[in-house]
Amino acid sequence: MIGQKKYDIAAILINYNSNSYTKNCIESIIAKTASSLNYQIVIIDNASEKEDFSSLESYIENKKYYNVQLVRSAINLGFGAGNMLGVHYSNANYLAFINNDSLLSNDCLSIIYSKITNNPDFGICGPLAYKEDGSLLPTLDHFASPAKEILGRKLLEKLNPEKYPNRKIIYSEPKRGQFISGSFMIVKSEDFNTVGGFDTNLFLYFEETDLCKRLSKIKKYAYLIPEAKYVHFHGVSTPSSITIKTEHKISYLYVIRKHYGYFWHQVILNKLRFHFFFKSLFKPSYWKIFRVLLVGAPLSESLKLKQKITS
């Protein structure tokens, strides 16, 4: 990166067989972001079908954007590793990880950049999210933890609203939470590098939980910036299926083991085994999840290790 232009923010997007959403996301970033903010856009194509990638490649070439770069991976790296590849191609003081199925409603990048650069404890920030129908999409949430698993989100919010803020309230001022949605988050590059970036053992899910937890240990906290707003077309690249739900449990149990140790990992693993055993009696498709839980939901069962490298 020596001699290359240093940007204020690098917006990193991942495309996976959803080029139309990626194009719209790029357009919204360019349309809504003030010209006074120096930014670059890095798109990582996570081994999409050739037709999908070619369409996106042609679009970027025809538009001739000077600050947009497209990089194709030969394998689906997932969320964390895909974004880490994007970081490799970025050169900016701040990193904005934005899901490609997002549309900026206002100048999110400039608004958050102003807040995060003027508040030392604002470690990682995100805008207020809405669904495509205009309803609120919760952005703040609480760490995946034994307390949350056993007591539940609602009870935690009642017992300690300061530590566990209500995620369904529209706040008027920046609000600190435990973590913010991974669909749109901005972090200082220096802080991101200090904690080691994303844990690439995670293929899908809980990457933001893990990152925000590690940032909090260096007193860099997660904040919702409600002045900034965007629309998130939730689940475009990862539609719900038994396979995806299985991946969710693998990631969840990995994060529990990593941050809370063997004992709580075993407690929650057995709780999930019990739950999915009885659930599978009524919905046979859930036997797949139960089978993975029965062997401990190891990372070896992850989709990350069940794919072929494409040319």
Side-chain angles (χ1 to χ4, degrees), residues 68-267:
V68 178
Q69 183 177 7
L70 174 63
V71 178
R72 180 165 170 80
S73 173
I75 193 169
N76 186 344
L77 296 167
F79 180 87
N83 276 308
M84 290 297 282
L85 181 59
V87 171
H88 175 77
Y89 284 94
S90 70
N91 188 30
N93 294 317
Y94 287 82
L95 303 167
F97 301 103
I98 306 173
N99 277 21
N100 72 322
D101 51 355
S102 300
L103 292 176
L104 279 64
S105 300
N106 59 10
D107 190 357
C108 294
L109 294 183
S110 297
I111 292 169
I112 295 178
Y113 181 77
S114 175
K115 298 291 184 184
I116 199 169
T117 54
N118 288 295
N119 294 278
D121 71 325
F122 283 27
I124 185 164
C125 299
L128 188 62
Y130 290 90
K131 298 178 184 178
E132 54 268 35
D133 63 5
S135 60
L136 180 68
L137 184 61
T139 308
L140 285 176
D141 208 341
H142 324 312
F143 290 136
S145 68
K148 184 178 176 183
E149 177 67 34
I150 295 169
L151 298 177
R153 181 184 285 116
K154 290 184 179 179
L155 183 56
L156 288 176
E157 291 175 357
K158 287 182 179 179
L159 292 174
N160 192 340
E162 185 63 30
K163 184 177 180 179
Y164 303 99
N166 190 326
R167 67 192 195 122
K168 294 185 177 180
I169 292 177
I170 298 180
Y171 296 95
S172 58
E173 298 294 331
K175 182 64 178 178
R176 177 174 159 180
Q178 293 190 340
F179 79 90
I180 56 168
S181 171
S183 60
F184 198 135
M185 49 189 179
I186 296 179
V187 60
K188 189 175 184 179
S189 298
E190 182 181 349
D191 295 335
F192 182 81
N193 293 338
T194 296
V195 300
F198 288 112
D199 183 339
T200 56
N201 284 314
L202 294 163
F203 184 67
L204 291 173
Y205 301 111
F206 297 99
E207 298 91 348
E208 70 269 55
T209 297
D210 174 70
L211 176 62
C212 289
K213 192 164 186 64
R214 286 182 283 119
L215 284 167
S216 70
K217 292 178 180 179
I218 62 169
K219 301 187 185 307
K220 296 292 183 176
Y221 303 108
Y223 278 85
L224 166 66
I225 310 298
E227 181 185 347
K229 299 176 176 64
Y230 75 110
V231 175
H232 184 207
F233 296 87
H234 192 60
V236 168
S237 296
T238 53
S240 181
S241 68
I242 291 298
T243 300
I244 294 299
K245 289 178 180 178
T246 303
E247 192 71 28
H248 182 275
K249 299 309 175 193
I250 292 170
S251 296
Y252 174 50
L253 286 162
Y254 171 82
V255 168
I256 291 294
R257 176 70 182 268
K258 177 178 179 178
H259 292 290
Y260 300 98
Y262 176 79
F263 173 79
W264 284 114
H265 173 268
Q266 289 299 301
V267 169

